[in-house]
Amino acid sequence: MLKGDKVGLRARREDDIPVLLTELYDDVVNSSRAESGPWRPISPGSKDPRLVVDDKEQGHVPFSVVELDGGTLIGTATLWGIDNHNRSAHIGLGLLPSSRGKGYGTDVVAVLCHYGFVVRGLRRLQIETLSDNAAMLRSAERNGFVREGVLRSSAWVMGEFLDEVLLGLLVQDWKPGPGPKG
């Protein structure tokens, strides 16, 4: 398990799937804001890649996020679009509604940075998020990500086009927190 100050990132377990399905993916508004495509229901037992991990897929590393204090499942985190030639990847996360607003997002981003830069040897991490997602913007910027641009009206969300913000962090600009994260 990779550890931050408040959270751990671990492998997805079978018993995580019903919680993630109910708390994250069955929420139409949240899913519409988090996914690049339209919301659609996921059937119980589905092998949907957002839930079930394909250990052979090298360009996408999904984690379950747990509280360090007690091990309660609080969300998902992903390093995706991993490009080993250019040594870059994208990061994303989704917290259960009851876990939002507690500083977990900032810690998840920090642990994903450790994983990307230290464990995987990447040089650049990138985040794309909706321009009104203040929590993600704050979590990214607290970890040193820099706003690199705005993709105007690039996301169709619940009947309207929204802007997306593109943020990047280079390994030489990264300032890891104290202590080991693994």
Side-chain angles (χ1 to χ4, degrees), residues 1 45-46 57 75 79 87 89 103 105 154 167 170 173 177:
M1 178 184 322
S46 168
E57 170 56 51
L79 195 70
R87 296 178 54 198
S154 63
L167 302 109
L170 303 177
D173 299 329

Side-chain angles (χ1 to χ4, degrees), residues 63-129:
F63 296 96
S64 287
V65 181
V66 296
E67 288 179 313
L68 283 181
D69 185 23
T72 303
L73 177 69
I74 61 170
T76 65
T78 309
L79 195 70
W80 62 276
I82 299 169
D83 180 337
N84 289 319
H85 177 72
N86 292 305
R87 296 178 54 198
S88 64
H90 304 257
I91 67 172
L93 64 101
L95 296 176
L96 303 181
S98 61
S99 300
R100 296 175 190 155
K102 298 180 179 181
Y104 294 136
T106 298
D107 203 31
V108 170
V109 172
V111 179
L112 284 170
C113 288
H114 173 83
Y115 179 71
F117 292 139
V118 176
V119 177
R120 299 293 298 243
L122 300 176
R123 304 233 350 118
R124 175 187 169 77
L125 294 174
Q126 183 169 309
I127 296 172
E128 300 86 6
T129 190

Side-chain angles (χ1 to χ4, degrees), residues 6-151:
K6 298 179 177 185
V7 303
L9 305 186
R10 64 160 169 75
R12 178 80 32 84
R13 297 180 185 157
E14 194 66 34
D15 60 339
D16 294 344
I17 293 172
V19 175
L20 297 174
L21 178 62
T22 302
E23 297 277 334
L24 286 181
Y25 301 111
D26 280 351
D27 178 339
V28 177
V29 173
N30 181 65
S31 282
S32 295
R33 292 177 57 80
E35 300 291 328
S36 61
W39 178 85
R40 62 181 179 78
I42 301 172
S43 302
S46 168
K47 299 299 180 196
D48 189 288
R50 292 171 289 175
L51 296 170
V52 178
V53 176
D54 177 359
D55 288 327
K56 293 178 183 71
E57 170 56 51
Q58 295 298 309
H60 179 167
V61 182
F63 296 96
S64 287
V65 181
V66 296
E67 288 179 313
L68 283 181
D69 185 23
T72 303
L73 177 69
I74 61 170
T76 65
T78 309
L79 195 70
W80 62 276
I82 299 169
D83 180 337
N84 289 319
H85 177 72
N86 292 305
R87 296 178 54 198
S88 64
H90 304 257
I91 67 172
L93 64 101
L95 296 176
L96 303 181
S98 61
S99 300
R100 296 175 190 155
K102 298 180 179 181
Y104 294 136
T106 298
D107 203 31
V108 170
V109 172
V111 179
L112 284 170
C113 288
H114 173 83
Y115 179 71
F117 292 139
V118 176
V119 177
R120 299 293 298 243
L122 300 176
R123 304 233 350 118
R124 175 187 169 77
L125 294 174
Q126 183 169 309
I127 296 172
E128 300 86 6
T129 190
L130 297 175
S131 63
D132 64 354
N133 188 347
M136 187 63 189
L137 292 168
R138 194 169 41 253
S139 293
E141 290 172 338
R142 285 180 178 162
N143 278 287
F145 280 81
V146 174
R147 292 183 195 217
E148 296 179 336
V150 175
L151 306 172

